[in-house]
């Protein structure tokens, strides 16, 4: 029985229409401001068309609100949101605005940078459409489930949470397998959040205490790092897990939460980072000073730090425009060079002692384009859309981001197939192990993350199957009958 009120339309009908905004933005590119706005608004059309319209193409095994952690929703919103939507702040700053207030008294004149911004926004919109195309091509109306969990899911999540946290701590101290620690820790954090939510829904105090305690502990630990991303990720996880059951509460809290994340968090993280990373104070002391600064309402400091974050850190279109003006005018496209290095980066250093340093190789194109200088301490690595462009221009953007979406959805399908469905397969395994796919990274690191993430997922599956925790179904289960919580 279908759980969605609307049958899926044909994939072709959906995919053809999502390219209309990009075509219009190209047609009107003679006016860069209009072209930018059309391209910027085009991403919101794609969000609507693929997620909220009657013509959307999604799996039909679960109600829409109970599958929002699948790639077509979660990854698309985060990846395309950062890539396409956050550029509005940089564009407003370019036009002479700050916080939507005109600060420049001179009339604005279109210049080379205006055309570059518009071009980058069009490329980003094309990438958004390509991402969704790759996902929809791989979406199955009824995902295949080949295995079932032999234990109570709540008990198993608690067990997995503890074991993953311990193994994550152990592997983080062994350099040769250090990269597996991130996925294991992410599994532990996701399990704790899911146990908390299941405890709230089922009104089981023990689950709420266990899951809530661990999740709060991890959240507080993330405030000591000086990284905004770790805090934001925790908020995203708990918000998406709670949404299907507490829609009104989550939607009510959405605006103040976004305000805190975009307005206050940059200043908070900047204070922690500047004081604890330099060794002046402990992370706990730096965090307390950050709280004190926010409570004292140091508005000028917050506004200045925040606007810099919104224009130059939240959005990376400034970097993109530098590459667009540099390539192919001053340097030819990279072709398959970046892809080749990405594959070579997979080889363990134990097997290739003379292997290049991935960070160094990936930063070479950044230095060459003048985005950053070798004497600086900044790590300004490119994002997938930029690597696609510098490899082969417009066609490079389309092919690389199409493959990004295709692989992302395939990985999710595989996780659900192996681990018994949406909750354990998609929510826990896919979104924890492949969390880097939410926003993306440069090709060298991204391919490495995907390859070793897949090995980690298969290793966990092998262990669970050998221990009879997962067993193969004689007849593959139809997920039309699969229920959640």
């Amino acid at each position: 029985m279908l759980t969605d009120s609307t049958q899926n339309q044909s994939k072709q009908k959906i995919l053809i229409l999502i390219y209309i905004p990009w075509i219009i933005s190209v047609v009107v590119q003679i006016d860069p401001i209009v072209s930018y706005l059309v391209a910027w608004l085009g991403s919101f059309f794609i969000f609507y068309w693929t997620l909220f319209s009657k013509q959307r193409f999604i799996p039909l095994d679960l109600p829409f609100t109970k599958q929002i952690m699948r790639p077509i929703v979660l990854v698309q919103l985060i990846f395309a949101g950062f890539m396409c939507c956050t550029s509005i702040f940089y564009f407003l700053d370019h036009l002479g605005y700050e916080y939507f207030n005109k600060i420049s008294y001179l009339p604005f004149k279109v210049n080379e940078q205006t055309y570059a911004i518009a071009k980058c926004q069009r490329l980003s919109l094309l990438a958004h459409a390509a991402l969704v195309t790759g996902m929809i091509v791989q979406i199955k109306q009824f995902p295949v489930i080949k295995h079932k969990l032999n234990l109570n899911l709540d008990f198993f999540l608690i067990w997995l949470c503890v074991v993953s946290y311990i193994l994550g701590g152990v592997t983080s101290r062994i350099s040769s397998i250090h990269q597996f620690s991130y996925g294991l820790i992410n599994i532990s954090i996701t399990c704790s959040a899911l146990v908390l939510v299941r405890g709230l829904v089922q009104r089981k105090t023990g689950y709420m205490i266990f899951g809530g305690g661990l999740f709060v502990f991890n959240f507080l630990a993330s405030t000591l790092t000086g990284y905004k991303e770790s805090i934001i990720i925790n908020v995203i996880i708990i918000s998406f897990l709670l949404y299907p059951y507490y829609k009104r509460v989550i939607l009510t809290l959405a605006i103040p939460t976004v305000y805190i994340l975009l307005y206050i968090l940059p200043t908070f993280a900047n204070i922690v980072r500047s004081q604890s990373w330099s060794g002046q104070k402990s992370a706990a002391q730096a965090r307390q000073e950050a709280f004190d600064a926010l409570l004292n309402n140091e508005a000028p400091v917050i506004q200045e730090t925040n606007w810099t974050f919104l224009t130059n850190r939240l959005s990376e279109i400034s970097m993109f425009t530098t590459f667009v003006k540099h390539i192919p005018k001053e340097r030819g496209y990279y072709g398959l060079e970046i892809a080749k290095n990405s594959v070579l980066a997979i080889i363990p250093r134990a097997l290739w002692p003379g292997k290049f340093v991935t960070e160094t190789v990936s930063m070479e194109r950044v230095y060459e384009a003048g985005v950053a200088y070798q004497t600086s301490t900044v790590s300004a690595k490119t994002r997938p859309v930029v690597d696609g462009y510098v490899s082969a221009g417009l066609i490079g953007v389309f092919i690389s981001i199409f493959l990004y979406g295709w692989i992302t959805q395939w990985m999710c399908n595989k996780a659900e197939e192996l681990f018994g469905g949406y909750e354990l397969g998609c929510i826990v395994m896919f979104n924890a192990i492949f969390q880097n796919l939410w926003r993306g990274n440069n090709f060298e690191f991204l391919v490495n993350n995907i390859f070793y993430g897949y090995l980690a997922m298969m290793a966990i599956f092998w262990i669970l199957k050998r221990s009879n925790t997962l067993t193969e179904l004689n007849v593959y289960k139809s997920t039309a009958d699969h229920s959640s919580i």
Side-chain angles (χ1 to χ4, degrees):
M1 181 178 68
L2 302 184
T3 57
D4 205 85
S5 60
T6 307
Q7 287 278 354
N8 277 333
Q9 303 295 319
S10 69
K11 291 183 179 182
Q12 293 78 6
K13 181 178 179 180
I14 301 297
L15 296 178
I16 289 174
L17 291 178
I18 65 174
Y19 288 90
I20 290 179
W22 175 73
I23 294 172
I24 296 174
S25 70
V26 172
V27 171
V28 300
Q29 64 180 300
I30 191 172
D31 188 327
I33 295 179
V34 173
S35 182
Y36 170 86
L37 291 174
V38 170
W40 185 73
L41 292 171
S43 284
F44 291 94
F45 169 78
I46 295 177
F47 286 139
Y48 166 76
W49 190 249
T50 58
L51 300 180
F52 305 109
S53 72
K54 292 182 179 180
Q55 287 73 30
R56 67 191 179 193
F57 193 95
I58 59 174
L60 298 177
D61 60 323
L62 295 169
F64 177 70
T65 56
K66 290 192 176 182
Q67 57 173 306
I68 59 173
M69 293 195 76
R70 280 175 171 154
I72 192 64
V73 183
L74 179 60
V75 176
Q76 182 191 177
L77 287 175
I78 297 175
F79 185 89
F82 275 110
M83 178 176 63
C84 302
C85 303
T86 58
S87 65
I88 189 64
F89 300 107
Y90 182 83
F91 187 65
L92 287 172
D93 186 73
H94 173 71
L95 295 180
Y97 287 82
E98 183 175 325
Y99 292 111
F100 305 101
N101 296 317
K102 184 74 172 177
I103 61 174
S104 175
Y105 297 102
L106 298 175
F108 176 78
K109 293 184 179 180
V110 171
N111 51 48
E112 180 187 9
Q113 183 67 2
T114 315
Y115 282 98
I117 295 172
K119 180 178 180 179
C120 290
Q121 192 65 33
R122 292 194 298 271
L123 289 169
S124 297
L125 176 61
L126 176 63
H128 186 177
L131 175 80
V132 172
T133 301
M135 289 179 177
I136 291 178
V137 166
Q138 269 294 315
I139 286 178
K140 300 179 184 297
Q141 290 200 19
F142 298 103
V144 175
I145 297 177
K146 294 186 177 181
H147 300 85
K148 68 174 182 178
L149 184 68
N150 284 334
L151 300 176
N152 174 273
L153 179 59
D154 297 313
F155 170 78
F156 177 73
L157 289 172
I158 294 173
W159 175 86
L160 183 62
C161 177
V162 175
V163 172
S164 297
Y165 190 83
I166 294 172
L167 291 176
V170 172
T171 54
S172 67
R173 290 169 170 78
I174 304 174
S175 58
S176 59
I177 56 175
H178 179 269
Q179 58 191 325
F180 292 108
S181 66
Y182 302 109
L184 291 168
I185 295 297
N186 288 339
I187 289 175
S188 179
I189 294 172
T190 306
C191 283
S192 67
L194 186 54
V195 169
L196 169 60
V197 172
R198 291 178 67 85
L200 289 170
V201 174
Q202 299 173 19
R203 298 182 179 180
K204 293 183 177 179
T205 306
Y207 293 163
M208 286 188 279
I209 294 174
F210 176 85
L214 280 179
F215 185 79
V216 170
F217 171 79
N218 281 306
F219 181 82
L220 292 176
S222 69
T223 63
L224 296 171
T225 64
Y227 289 110
K228 298 176 288 293
E229 291 80 2
S230 56
I231 299 175
I232 294 173
I233 285 171
N234 278 278
V235 173
I236 289 173
I237 291 172
I238 197 66
S239 299
F240 271 72
L241 287 176
L242 286 170
Y243 178 76
Y245 312 101
Y246 304 97
K247 297 182 186 67
R248 290 184 179 179
V249 175
I250 297 301
L251 291 175
T252 301
L253 294 175
I255 293 178
T257 300
V258 171
Y259 172 81
I260 292 172
L261 292 178
L262 295 184
Y263 185 73
I264 297 177
L265 182 57
T267 301
F268 174 86
N270 187 57
I271 294 173
V272 173
R273 186 163 53 243
S274 62
Q275 295 192 15
S276 65
W277 287 14
S278 63
Q280 297 177 9
K281 297 180 180 178
S282 67
Q285 290 174 324
R287 180 177 64 183
Q288 185 58 52
E289 291 210 4
F291 279 128
D292 291 341
L294 295 177
L295 291 174
N296 291 332
N297 193 28
E298 297 181 8
V301 176
I302 294 175
Q303 290 180 3
E304 181 180 353
T305 303
N306 184 61
W307 188 246
T308 301
F309 166 73
L310 291 177
T311 55
N312 292 306
R313 295 293 295 168
L314 180 64
S315 170
E316 296 179 346
I317 197 169
S318 175
M319 174 196 289
F320 199 178
T321 59
T322 302
F323 277 103
V324 163
K325 289 185 285 188
H326 175 64
I327 298 174
K329 183 179 179 181
E330 299 174 356
R331 190 219 191 269
Y333 293 115
Y334 281 76
L336 296 177
E337 180 182 337
I338 299 175
K340 178 184 176 182
N341 288 336
S342 301
V343 174
L344 292 175
I346 294 174
I347 302 174
R349 194 167 298 279
L351 300 178
W352 183 11
K355 189 181 80 168
F356 55 81
V357 178
T358 307
E359 174 79 13
T360 302
V361 170
S362 64
M363 286 295 291
E364 284 180 359
R365 54 187 176 276
V366 176
Y367 297 140
E368 187 177 332
V371 174
Y373 300 99
Q374 294 186 359
T375 54
S376 65
T377 58
V378 67
S379 177
K381 290 188 288 292
T382 52
R383 293 292 170 182
V385 64
V386 176
D387 278 352
Y389 173 79
V390 302
S391 293
L394 184 146
I395 191 65
V397 168
F398 178 82
I399 293 175
S400 61
I401 306 302
F402 168 83
L403 291 174
Y404 189 103
W406 190 93
I407 292 171
T408 298
Q409 184 61 50
W410 185 87
M411 288 292 185
C412 183
N413 292 347
K414 192 67 176 178
E416 292 193 34
E417 172 190 310
L418 296 177
F419 294 96
Y422 173 72
E423 283 185 298
L424 184 56
C426 174
I427 293 178
V428 177
M429 294 300 171
F430 170 76
N431 281 299
I433 295 175
F434 301 101
Q435 197 175 94
N436 285 319
L437 290 173
W438 287 8
R439 191 178 177 189
N441 205 333
N442 62 35
F443 285 172
E444 291 92 344
F445 283 97
L446 194 59
V447 172
N448 188 281
N449 295 150
I450 293 172
F451 178 80
Y452 284 103
Y454 182 77
L455 291 183
M457 182 175 73
M458 295 307 296
I460 294 172
F461 168 72
W462 182 83
I463 292 171
L464 295 180
K465 190 172 182 182
R466 291 280 295 187
S467 63
N468 205 39
T469 305
L470 287 172
T471 55
E472 188 169 359
L473 296 169
N474 293 326
V475 178
Y476 296 154
K477 186 175 181 181
S478 168
T479 53
D481 300 323
H482 186 61
S483 60
S484 175
I485 300 185

